[in-house]
Amino acid sequence: MILPRYSMGIGDRFARQGQAQLRAFAQARALGVDITPVWNKSNREHMIVGSGPDAVRAEADAAVRALRWTGPYYVDADHITLQTVEAFICACDFFTIDVADFVGRPAPDEEVWDFADRHRRVASRGIPGTALADPVSPDDVARIGRQYLLAARGAGAIYRRIEAAKGHGRFITEVSIDETDSPQTPVDLLLILAALADEKVPVQTIAPKFTGRFNKGTDYVGDVARFEQEFNDDLAVVAFAVREFGLPPDLKISIHSGSDKFSIYAPIARAIQKHDAGLHLKTAGTTWLAEVEGLAASGGEALGLAQEIYAQAYARTDELTAPYAAVIDIARERLPAPEIVRRWSSAQFVAALRHDPTCPAYNPHLRQLLHVAFKVAAGMGPEYLGALDDHADVIGPLVTENLLDRHIRPVFIPG
């Protein structure tokens, strides 16, 4: 399988928005840009919601049939490890291999120096026009190998387990190193790709951790100019690694927690055009937030349900935010009390939740809390799912608009 040039990972916590999501891709195609949808859901999300990979496959297949989609599409086993991969093998054809647990665990010195010797020549050449223009010393190669060599070995072990079950070339491989404590430099990325090539992992997308904060459902926090330089350097590294290490020619950068990163979408668009490069952009849980927005906008009992979700999330803030501490930044004092939110109109709730930085009522702290509050909705069971069905005529267009106008257009259809 070959992942096309542009692709997007689309999350759908409750498997109700498959058609609304796919409509955004159909409309993008009508505008002249082909983007491949990749439905993704992690083991953690399945555990919280009480679903399984088969449900994601069923949702994707049903949406494709209903809209008569003729392009490729995939179902992603998101952030799987050797311990969780088995449940995803049958239903999925895209595997995001998460190696964060291996990063920083040092490989034996003998293996580290063997790695450094193999790649000394490549590192010493440099890549003109990038942060790798200057040669990299053998000691630095060894240092990076010490940091990431076991991660590449872990990726190889997971890849081979999937390959044994599904067969060579019958799935897409992504390697994720974004859920780590420190960002990877372009030099790090080059040598990580070298190590993956040594492991014979035919990686088609690589998800590094960038500088700055990629908080859930809100804008990028950091130096945009620095990000742009780093992203351009990473694209140059990927192109160089394809040539040098024999990696798949369609290898591309994957941006995780890419939802609503409005301030860096223009730099990303410029960079992929400049380098004639592909891109995989993960939009994570913004579909779930569009559902809550749609319920609030519907008024009446649906607004009351949205208010109740917030009230329960507020009471359980520590529990809900703990697993996402690295990708949210909530000031507790900026969260409105539930009794205040219960008095809000539909327009007030939507204004606080919807990511519009120009709106004085927009509250990124409330938005981030609701982003991780899908566990509350999962606990409501049929009440929440029934509300989604009852108000699909409001929610569906918001889901489509979110993907098309707020993500696809600024990244893939600039100007």
Side-chain angles (χ1 to χ4, degrees):
M1 291 183 176
I2 297 176
L3 185 65
R5 183 182 191 81
Y6 297 144
S7 55
M8 284 182 66
I10 47 176
D12 187 7
R13 304 291 191 254
F14 297 98
R16 287 297 197 277
Q17 309 307 329
Q19 291 186 43
Q21 291 173 320
L22 191 56
R23 284 192 188 96
F25 294 86
Q27 291 175 26
R29 175 178 280 184
L31 293 170
V33 178
D34 280 321
I35 306 163
T36 299
V38 181
W39 277 269
N40 54 263
K41 198 168 184 179
S42 69
N43 185 68
R44 176 167 60 189
E45 290 158 3
H46 281 302
M47 296 292 288
I48 290 171
V49 174
S51 59
D54 288 346
V56 184
R57 168 58 65 185
E59 177 192 15
D61 290 349
V64 165
R65 288 193 300 269
L67 272 64
R68 298 182 180 179
W69 176 257
T70 58
Y73 67 101
Y74 297 94
V75 174
D76 179 10
D78 192 20
H79 283 280
I80 50 95
T81 65
L82 201 56
Q83 289 71 42
T84 59
V85 66
E86 295 297 331
F88 292 86
I89 285 177
C90 290
C92 297
D93 47 15
F94 188 119
F95 291 81
T96 298
I97 297 173
D98 191 322
V99 296
D101 288 346
F102 293 96
V103 172
R105 290 168 50 185
D109 276 353
E110 181 180 331
E111 297 178 19
V112 167
W113 285 107
D114 179 62
F115 172 79
D117 287 342
R118 284 200 308 279
H119 298 293
R120 185 191 308 267
R121 181 183 60 83
V122 172
S124 67
R125 286 164 52 192
I127 302 176
T130 74
L132 282 79
D134 296 328
V136 181
S137 73
D139 285 346
D140 281 339
V141 176
R143 175 184 55 78
I144 295 168
R146 193 170 288 111
Q147 179 82 356
Y148 294 105
L149 194 54
L150 287 187
R153 298 267 173 84
I158 298 168
Y159 168 78
R160 287 186 287 276
R161 173 64 194 96
I162 302 166
E163 183 185 45
K166 298 190 76 73
H168 180 72
R170 298 182 64 83
F171 58 96
I172 303 297
T173 302
E174 173 172 296
V175 174
S176 165
I177 44 176
D178 69 300
E179 294 195 352
T180 52
D181 293 334
S182 301
Q184 291 87 38
T185 68
V187 178
D188 293 337
L189 181 61
L190 174 66
L191 292 168
I192 289 166
L193 290 171
L196 290 171
D198 287 347
E199 288 292 316
K200 296 183 169 39
V201 177
V203 57
Q204 292 191 49
T205 79
I206 182 83
K209 181 180 179 70
F210 298 98
T211 55
R213 287 187 67 89
F214 285 70
N215 292 333
K216 294 288 188 181
T218 54
D219 205 351
Y220 173 77
V221 179
D223 184 335
V224 173
R226 181 180 177 186
F227 169 83
E228 184 166 12
Q229 180 62 55
E230 182 179 314
F231 187 67
N232 274 273
D233 286 350
D234 283 349
L235 292 178
V237 165
V238 165
F240 179 84
V242 166
R243 298 190 302 270
E244 191 67 31
F245 306 133
L247 290 166
D250 54 318
L251 173 62
K252 66 182 80 171
I253 293 288
S254 177
I255 299 179
H256 285 199
S257 295
S259 307
D260 292 26
K261 300 302 177 283
F262 302 144
S263 62
I264 60 172
Y265 283 169
I268 291 169
R270 286 194 295 269
I272 61 176
Q273 294 300 318
K274 174 183 175 181
H275 292 268
D276 193 24
L279 179 71
H280 184 64
L281 179 73
K282 281 198 172 182
T283 59
T286 50
T287 289
W288 141 252
L289 289 175
E291 288 179 344
V292 179
E293 180 183 336
L295 291 175
S298 297
E301 292 183 359
L303 170 60
L305 185 61
Q307 292 165 330
E308 177 61 23
I309 291 170
Y310 177 76
Q312 291 192 32
Y314 184 91
R316 299 165 60 184
T317 297
D318 290 341
E319 170 203 345
L320 297 173
T321 58
Y324 300 94
V327 287
I328 56 175
D329 190 8
I330 296 173
R332 295 287 289 267
E333 68 275 11
R334 299 291 301 279
L335 293 173
E339 55 267 26
I340 293 174
V341 174
R342 288 192 190 280
R343 296 196 294 269
W344 281 354
S345 66
S346 288
Q348 287 174 303
F349 196 113
V350 169
L353 173 60
R354 186 173 178 82
H355 189 178
D356 179 2
T358 67
C359 176
Y362 166 58
N363 187 328
H365 308 278
L366 174 142
R367 182 173 174 83
Q368 288 178 87
L369 177 59
L370 283 172
H371 197 292
V372 300
F374 65 96
K375 186 175 184 178
V376 173
M380 294 177 170
E383 180 185 11
Y384 180 73
L385 297 179
L388 295 183
D389 295 336
D390 291 343
H391 300 283
D393 58 333
V394 176
I395 294 169
L398 288 175
V399 170
T400 303
E401 176 208 5
N402 172 55
L403 288 175
L404 180 65
D405 293 338
R406 297 163 74 82
H407 293 86
I408 290 174
R409 284 184 186 272
V411 176
F412 300 105
I413 316 176

